[in-house]
Amino acid sequence: MPDPGMIVKSRTAGRGRIARNDPDDPTVRASIEMIDVLALPKTELHLHIEGTLEPELMFALATRHGIALPYADVDAARRAYVFDDLQSFLDLYYAGCSVLRDAEDFYDLTRAYFDRAAADGVRHTEIFFDPQTHTDRGVPFAALMDGLTSGLGDGGQALGMTSRLIMCFLRHLSADAAMVTLEASLPFRDSIVAVGLDSSEAGHPPSKFTAVFDRARAEGFLAVAHAGEEGPPEYIREAVDRLGVARIDHGVRILEDPDLVERFVAEQIPLTVCPLSNVKLRVVPTLADHPLKRMLEAGLRVTINSDDPAYFGGYIGENYAASVAALGLSDDQVLTLARNSVLASFLDTRDQQRHLAAIDEFDAS
Ligand code: ADE
Ligand code: ZN
């Protein structure tokens, strides 16, 4: 008997669809057609490059630099990836970054992510990096930028993907430290499209960074910020009103504030939601409880992303597939999510039109 819900590649499915066994009647093979979420052309907008460090590469880099890791092997590392909340993840995640020492390491990290993203149908990606995590350990800013930009260039060329870099400030550190980082980034201004804000949210409201974001926008950077992941809806409002952000990263707590929802719907301010991350960090108890579908139904410009896929058990394809399965998203909702990501991206209008046309073509094929 075929497995319930097993995905079966079918020549008859067509229209960007694949056939799947009926989970309610596993004797009926390939009776349901669903959208092929892996083949769907995708844009990823919320991805920490440091969060793509798979244990295999972590061990390879540790060997390269003669560093001892706190795990016996790759499997032991994966077994340790069980988290109570955002902070328990961040502690382990920053420790993992200790193997990233020079430009070659950042190059290898970026190329590995590109290979993985391309396999998931990603055509355009906007990537976060946290300079302070590295410069505070003595990695030169120039080495970091050299590795990242060469990786993006070579990976993009090899795989036909485009990308942008977003430099995040660590919100658990001071606003002065963020300003120093902003100043250090200015020689690389042309390689960075936007600034962002990440790390421990509770107790570090966006308003702490108003002066830094004012300066960044004056220098021509666009802005985004993590808000409403663990923090309250008020942090989402502050990020928009005080930091001038173009989109909110996570923002899943927005549904607690109907006035804010109304405003986000009216202004179509995008939210980069990361479903598997929210389950792993216990923002929601299970994926079936995730507010993604309710956010879509409210008319919010929601997108699906992977956040830190090496730690959260799935790249963007798995985030789409698991959300479809757990929440029963319709094909139209899946296509809306993919289109939302294009519209929320920092691509210019012509490139956005090209990506939207690819989604239309996929839907019609
Ligand atoms: N840095 C990496 N992943 C993060 C997340 N989910 N929230 C805040 N900061 C992060
Ligand atoms: Zn994030």
Side-chain angles (χ1 to χ4, degrees):
M1 187 186 291
D3 293 341
M6 189 176 86
I7 291 173
V8 182
K9 290 270 177 202
S10 160
R11 285 222 188 86
T12 56
R15 288 180 52 80
R17 306 313 194 255
I18 51 177
R20 200 186 59 164
N21 296 334
D22 184 344
D24 298 326
D25 185 357
T27 60
V28 181
R29 219 179 145 76
S31 62
I32 298 177
E33 282 192 10
M34 61 176 285
I35 204 153
D36 182 352
V37 290
L38 270 193
L40 172 68
K42 286 185 275 305
T43 296
E44 175 141 72
L45 302 177
H46 184 154
L47 181 282
H48 301 263
I49 197 65
E50 295 90 347
T52 68
L53 180 60
E54 292 287 347
E56 287 79 2
L57 183 57
M58 193 189 291
F59 271 85
L61 298 183
T63 303
R64 184 183 283 175
H65 296 296
I67 298 168
L69 289 172
Y71 314 109
D73 54 29
V74 160
D75 290 339
R78 287 216 165 81
R79 278 197 302 277
Y81 295 173
V82 178
F83 310 111
D84 295 329
D85 55 15
L86 174 58
Q87 192 59 52
S88 65
F89 156 68
L90 290 171
D91 293 343
L92 190 141
Y93 163 83
Y94 293 134
C97 288
S98 65
V99 299
L100 296 163
R101 298 251 162 130
D102 57 27
E104 189 186 5
D105 303 338
F106 287 98
Y107 179 88
D108 292 347
L109 180 68
T110 308
R111 287 301 307 263
Y113 163 64
F114 265 62
D115 286 344
R116 193 59 189 73
D120 275 18
V122 174
R123 306 276 181 94
H124 174 71
T125 178
E126 300 188 355
I127 300 176
F128 297 132
F129 68 109
D130 288 342
Q132 289 158 291
T133 303
H134 315 298
T135 53
D136 287 0
R137 297 181 289 113
V139 177
F141 210 111
L144 168 63
M145 293 306 297
D146 179 16
L148 291 177
T149 54
S150 339
L152 297 188
D154 290 355
Q157 205 163 21
L159 299 160
M161 284 167 61
T162 55
S163 62
R164 301 284 186 272
L165 281 176
I166 301 174
M167 175 178 71
C168 286
F169 305 115
L170 297 181
R171 68 202 303 162
H172 68 274
L173 301 179
S174 70
D176 285 349
M179 192 67 94
V180 169
T181 302
L182 176 61
E183 278 162 7
S185 77
L186 294 179
F188 309 98
R189 171 71 201 81
D190 292 347
S191 301
I192 303 169
V193 71
V195 294
L197 188 64
D198 65 4
S199 193
S200 325
E201 188 178 8
H204 301 286
S207 51
K208 174 176 162 185
F209 296 93
T210 304
V212 184
F213 274 66
D214 281 349
R215 171 83 192 279
R217 283 186 286 98
E219 294 285 353
F221 292 96
L222 298 168
V224 300
H226 284 54
E229 178 184 18
E230 286 187 342
E234 190 50 33
Y235 283 17
I236 301 175
R237 185 177 283 108
E238 265 190 20
V240 174
D241 290 340
R242 306 284 294 274
L243 303 187
V245 301
R247 58 189 191 225
I248 292 288
D249 299 311
H250 292 294
V252 288
R253 289 191 59 190
I254 195 170
L255 293 183
E256 294 170 30
D257 186 332
D259 290 343
L260 198 55
V261 170
E262 197 178 315
R263 175 173 174 198
F264 268 57
V265 171
E267 298 178 25
Q268 285 293 285
I269 302 171
L271 298 130
T272 64
V273 171
C274 307
L276 292 178
S277 162
N278 294 150
V279 175
K280 274 286 201 175
L281 302 189
R282 305 195 192 196
V283 169
V284 294
T286 73
L287 204 49
D289 303 301
H290 198 282
L292 175 80
K293 189 172 182 175
R294 283 176 281 139
M295 293 169 83
L296 266 175
E297 287 167 351
L300 290 163
R301 180 161 285 171
V302 197
T303 67
I304 285 191
N305 310 273
S306 65
D307 206 7
D308 302 288
Y311 293 90
F312 299 152
Y315 285 75
I316 193 169
E318 280 118 344
N319 273 272
Y320 268 84
S323 301
V324 169
L327 299 169
L329 301 179
S330 69
D331 286 0
D332 280 346
Q333 285 175 321
V334 174
L335 290 164
T336 296
L337 286 162
R339 292 187 180 110
N340 281 350
S341 293
V342 173
L343 294 167
S345 75
F346 292 141
L347 289 168
D348 64 27
T349 309
R350 219 181 58 177
D351 283 334
Q352 288 193 358
Q353 291 306 326
R354 193 166 50 76
H355 285 282
L356 291 173
I359 296 170
D360 290 345
E361 197 179 315
F362 166 86
D363 184 33
S365 67

